[in-house]
Amino acid sequence: MRLVLSRTRRAVLPLAFALAGTWNAAAQAPTVPPIELVRRAVRNEIKASNDPVSCMFRDRKETPHGSQTKLMVETRDAMAAILVAINDHPLSPEQREAEYARIQGFINDPDELRRKHRREKEDAERITRIVKVLPDAFLYEYDGTEPGKTGVGKQGDELVRLKFRPNPRYDPPSRVEQVLTGMQGYILIDSDKDRIAKINGTLAKDVGFGWGILGHLDRGGHFLVEQGEAWNGYWEITRMDLAVTGKVLFFKSINFKSNDIYSDFRPVPSNLTFAQGVELLKRQEATLAENQQQSGDQK
């Protein structure tokens, strides 16, 4: 699930942790220009997004309407997912039956599964496009260091913190990259491993699409991605926050807010079919239910 998502989330846009230190420029004058650190990290993120390793993980998504927890696994056909909890409560038998029927629909309809795969691929390509232009879209400056921790980089590694602001010379090639022209914030980079551990950005101004005719995003929108080592040198996205408002084509309002926490990563065979992935998720779901039952009996 790295930054270039999936891989909708696979290794390409990573981030986060609490402020922890300050950069003493006099005592630790950096020898590598900030932009070079970004270029190295971006190259490595793109490379990592093409890694054949697949994984299973848990995704807890919270929105203003509540939370949903899913078990997910990457397969060669598409991402397979099973809903296991709503507002942190296990599904009822009726809800579980409906969930199984939804998933079975993809197995029974190869055309729909191919459409799902195509949508995921398009999402990943959009993320890759944004990651690729990070060196050009922003101006960077050193802003200290922070220690890596669980979910953000690798625990114990030193992460370089860079502040960024829009590059006035950057001309976005499409609406996909347009959002970057109004964003500022900071990025954390593991300079030893050339990986992005966190990106924390805020829209400092309204961003219009198509000269404002097609729509705009409001000032104050926020985007956060965290990424860290999941196992044995493999990095995965561990958190994504998004909060944006705006309008599309004058009429349709945008008001989106979500928080995803990704956890419990474990590698799986990279050649899993969608049906095999679903069976793997069902077995994991049964294991979780059994553990919950045993935990409840012990109370």
Side-chain angles (χ1 to χ4, degrees), residues 91-103:
L91 301 187
S92 67
E94 295 78 15
Q95 290 172 323
R96 181 173 292 107
E97 183 178 349
E99 180 66 3
Y100 285 175
R102 180 191 68 81
I103 299 169

Coordinates of all heavy atoms in Angstrom, one line a residue, residues 91-103:
L91 N -20.2 -6.7 12.4 CA -21.4 -6.7 11.6 C -22.5 -7.7 12.2 O -22.1 -8.7 12.8 CB -21.1 -7.1 10.2 CG -20.1 -6.2 9.4 CD1 -20.1 -6.7 7.9 CD2 -20.5 -4.8 9.4
S92 N -23.7 -7.4 11.9 CA -24.8 -8.4 12.3 C -24.7 -9.5 11.2 O -24.2 -9.3 10.1 CB -26.1 -7.7 12.3 OG -26.5 -7.3 11.0
P93 N -25.4 -10.6 11.5 CA -25.4 -11.7 10.5 C -26.0 -11.2 9.2 O -25.5 -11.6 8.1 CB -26.3 -12.7 11.1 CG -26.1 -12.5 12.6 CD -25.9 -11.1 12.8
E94 N -27.0 -10.3 9.2 CA -27.6 -9.8 8.0 C -26.7 -8.9 7.2 O -26.6 -9.0 6.0 CB -28.9 -9.1 8.3 CG -30.0 -9.9 8.9 CD -29.8 -10.2 10.4 OE1 -29.0 -9.6 11.0 OE2 -30.5 -11.1 10.9
Q95 N -25.9 -8.1 7.9 CA -25.0 -7.2 7.3 C -23.8 -8.0 6.7 O -23.3 -7.7 5.6 CB -24.4 -6.2 8.3 CG -25.4 -5.1 8.8 CD -24.9 -4.3 9.9 OE1 -24.2 -4.8 10.8 NE2 -25.2 -3.0 9.9
R96 N -23.4 -9.1 7.4 CA -22.3 -9.9 6.9 C -22.8 -10.6 5.6 O -22.0 -10.7 4.6 CB -21.8 -10.9 7.9 CG -20.7 -11.8 7.4 CD -20.1 -12.6 8.5 NE -19.5 -11.9 9.6 CZ -20.0 -11.6 10.8 NH1 -21.2 -12.1 11.1 NH2 -19.3 -10.9 11.6
E97 N -24.0 -11.1 5.6 CA -24.5 -11.8 4.4 C -24.5 -10.8 3.2 O -24.2 -11.2 2.1 CB -25.9 -12.3 4.7 CG -26.5 -13.1 3.5 CD -27.9 -13.7 3.9 OE1 -28.3 -13.6 5.0 OE2 -28.5 -14.2 2.9
A98 N -25.0 -9.6 3.5 CA -25.0 -8.6 2.4 C -23.6 -8.2 1.9 O -23.4 -8.0 0.7 CB -25.7 -7.3 2.9
E99 N -22.7 -8.2 2.8 CA -21.3 -7.9 2.4 C -20.7 -9.0 1.5 O -20.0 -8.8 0.5 CB -20.4 -7.7 3.7 CG -19.0 -7.4 3.4 CD -18.7 -6.0 2.7 OE1 -19.7 -5.3 2.5 OE2 -17.6 -5.7 2.4
Y100 N -21.0 -10.3 1.9 CA -20.5 -11.4 1.1 C -21.1 -11.4 -0.3 O -20.4 -11.7 -1.3 CB -20.8 -12.7 1.8 CG -19.9 -13.0 3.0 CD1 -20.1 -14.1 3.8 CD2 -18.8 -12.2 3.3 CE1 -19.3 -14.4 4.9 CE2 -18.0 -12.4 4.4 CZ -18.2 -13.5 5.2 OH -17.4 -13.8 6.3
A101 N -22.4 -11.0 -0.3 CA -23.1 -10.9 -1.6 C -22.4 -9.9 -2.5 O -22.3 -10.0 -3.7 CB -24.5 -10.7 -1.4
R102 N -22.1 -8.7 -1.9 CA -21.5 -7.6 -2.7 C -20.1 -8.1 -3.3 O -19.9 -7.9 -4.4 CB -21.2 -6.4 -1.7 CG -20.6 -5.2 -2.4 CD -20.1 -4.2 -1.4 NE -19.0 -4.6 -0.6 CZ -17.8 -4.6 -1.0 NH1 -17.4 -4.2 -2.2 NH2 -16.8 -5.1 -0.2
I103 N -19.3 -8.8 -2.5 CA -18.0 -9.2 -2.9 C -18.2 -10.3 -4.0 O -17.5 -10.3 -5.0 CB -17.2 -9.7 -1.8 CG1 -16.9 -8.6 -0.7 CG2 -15.8 -10.3 -2.2 CD1 -16.4 -9.1 0.6

